[in-house]
């Protein structure tokens, strides 16, 4: 199937990163349910400690919901300057092993160690060394997944979390995917999982029985990706120099929405996702665009460009809410909303014009 040598990819993921940094730096917070983020009415949880997760609190959850699930939840404002410093320390450790580092956020990265600077053969040993160094330098735990492509490395890093690692070999990759529920796939958010379920697709094995044409018809551009990963195949390269012109997220709803208030609420997790990426990359942007796709698949976009880059997630939500209100009353119920930030502050360095879509988990 593939004549190239088998790749060795490691996905490193810090455990409950922002929350762990806060607990590291403030002993009073250790062992307690903690959310990093704003507690205000429109606040969103940016990260939750493991103690908070046992109550069902997770990132991108509205703070109001989080407090309801865990009344003793402690909110701590984020300190992104500190997270960026730690992130830099981690990347310096990665760079001892390979220049092929693709950060996904401040606390997560893919490394291609097929050829590595230490001449080490065994990728699991590289992952062990990296995690030990991260612990020694930062005092924080990391987990790792080791496999022959990005998708499986990413899935593997969750298997023995926290503070663990797992390997998925070419021999057991296809079987691993077959047994995996599709809702756990990286790149399959709740809305996509629900649509797959309607077509009888609940596991990797179910997905594997569908033709490429079927998947492209029902899932558009993602169809080809799904077709590959159902077979344990993912040819995407680890790309160290990804510079983006825009950052966007979108979500298709299980039920179409015709109510402005509900639609406006749906902007919050989208904004949280976009903003999390921007914070991780230390960028912002001046142009906010809202995309509205209606039940008849026609769509509208509304943009506003500010003089200054957007300062925080609340400002992005405010601008997006105003833009959304300009198309209300909706001509049809809304099936999808998208939110994009562009005119990014890194534009002078931009080299390619790709427009990524972050999956909304
Ligand atoms: Mg993490």
């Amino acid at each position: 199937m593939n004549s190239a040598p088998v790749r060795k990819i490691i996905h490193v993921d810090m455990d409950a990163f922002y929350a762990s940094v806060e607990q590291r730096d403030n002993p009073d917070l250790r062992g307690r349910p903690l959310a990093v983020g704003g507690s205000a009415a429109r606040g969103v949880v940016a990260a939750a400690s493991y103690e908070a997760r046992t109550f069902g609190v997770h990132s991108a959850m509205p703070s109001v919901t989080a407090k309801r699930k865990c009344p003793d939840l402690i909110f701590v404002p984020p300190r992104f300057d500190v997270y960026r410093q730690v992130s830099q320390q981690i990347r310096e450790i990665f760079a001892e092993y390979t220049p092929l580092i693709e950060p996904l956020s401040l606390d997560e990265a893919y490394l291609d160690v097929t050829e590595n600077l230490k001449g080490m053969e065994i990728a699991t040993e590289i992952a062990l060394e990296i995690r030990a160094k991260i612990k020694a330098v930062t005092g924080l735990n990391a987990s790792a997944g080791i496999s022959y492509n990005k998708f499986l490395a990413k899935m593997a890093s969750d298997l023995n979390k926290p503070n663990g690692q797992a390997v998925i070999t070419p021999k057991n990759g296809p079987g691993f995917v077959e047994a995996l529920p599709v809702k756990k796939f990286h790149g399959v958010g709740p809305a996509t999982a629900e649509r797959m379920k309607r077509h009888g697709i609940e596991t990797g094995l179910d997905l594997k029985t569908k033709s490429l044409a079927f998947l492209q018809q029902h899932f558009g551009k993602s169809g080809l990706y799904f077709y590959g990963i159902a077979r344990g195949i993912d040819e995407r390269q680890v790309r160290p120099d990804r510079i983006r012109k825009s950052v966007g997220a979108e979500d298709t709803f299980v039920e179409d929405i015709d109510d402005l208030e509900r639609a406006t609420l749906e902007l919050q997790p989208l904004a949280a996702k976009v903003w999390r990426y921007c914070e991780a990359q230390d960028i912002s942007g001046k142009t906010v665009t809202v995309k509205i796709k209606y039940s008849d698949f026609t769509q509208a976009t509304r943009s506003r460009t500010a003089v200054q880059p957007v300062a925080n997630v609340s400002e992005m939500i405010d601008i997006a809410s105003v833009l959304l209100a300009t198309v209300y009353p909706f001509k049809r119920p809304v099936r999808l909303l998208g939110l994009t930030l562009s005119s990014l502050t890194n534009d002078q360095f931009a080299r390619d014009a790709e427009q990524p879509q972050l999956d909304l988990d």
Side-chain angles (χ1 to χ4, degrees), residues 11-18 50 53 105 107-108 161:
H11 176 253
V12 179
D13 187 9
M14 301 298 289
D15 299 332
F17 181 52
Y18 302 164
Y50 282 97
R53 291 179 192 195
S105 61
D107 79 313
E108 242 183 281
K161 224 174 197 331

Side-chain angles (χ1 to χ4, degrees), residues 9-15 50 90 94 107-111 113 123-132 134 140-147 149-168:
I9 312 293
I10 302 176
H11 176 253
V12 179
D13 187 9
M14 301 298 289
D15 299 332
Y50 282 97
I90 296 166
F94 298 158
D107 79 313
E108 242 183 281
Y110 291 113
L111 318 180
V113 297
T124 51
E125 285 173 11
I126 297 176
L128 273 175
E129 272 193 23
I130 287 175
R131 291 175 46 237
I134 289 174
L140 300 166
N141 289 330
S143 295
I146 303 102
S147 196
N149 63 43
K150 286 163 79 171
F151 173 75
L152 288 170
K154 169 99 180 158
M155 301 311 304
S157 68
D158 257 351
L159 292 177
N160 289 319
K161 224 174 197 331
N163 199 22
Q165 65 181 55
V167 59
I168 297 176

